[in-house]
Amino acid sequence: GTAWAQHTGIDRGEVRLDDGPWRQAVLSAEVTVDAWRMWWAELDASRGGHTVTVRATDRTGATQTDRIADVVPDGATGWHTITFTAS
């Protein structure tokens, strides 16, 4: 995944499978605080349908909220969630 916090930088990325606990993702090297920060995490999913949710924390300690808001005027918020089927 990727995360971005303009002029601040990303300090942490977290992932959760279904409604389980948040797990820390592995962050790539930071290019600059103004660049998107890549991350990854391995998940052990049983067969069937699942939901993955992600959130980021910036260098000020502000963790992305689950409240969905548009980009204008202060930047988008809300956790990104996808569903998938493991086979």
Side-chain angles (χ1 to χ4, degrees), residues 49-66:
H50 296 281
T51 301
V52 173
T53 306
V54 298
R55 68 182 181 186
T57 300
D58 70 17
R59 288 259 167 70
T60 69
T63 299
Q64 189 175 9
T65 177
D66 62 341

Side-chain angles (χ1 to χ4, degrees), residues 13-71:
E14 295 173 291
V15 180
R16 73 175 178 186
L17 181 63
D18 301 319
D19 288 322
W22 289 102
R23 296 176 47 190
Q24 192 158 335
V26 177
L27 295 176
S28 67
E30 183 177 75
V31 177
T32 75
V33 296
D34 289 319
W36 286 88
R37 187 91 182 256
M38 293 184 292
W39 57 267
W40 66 274
E42 288 188 28
L43 300 173
D44 187 20
S46 60
R47 293 179 74 127
H50 296 281
T51 301
V52 173
T53 306
V54 298
R55 68 182 181 186
T57 300
D58 70 17
R59 288 259 167 70
T60 69
T63 299
Q64 189 175 9
T65 177
D66 62 341
R67 188 179 61 84
I68 297 173
D70 196 13
V71 175

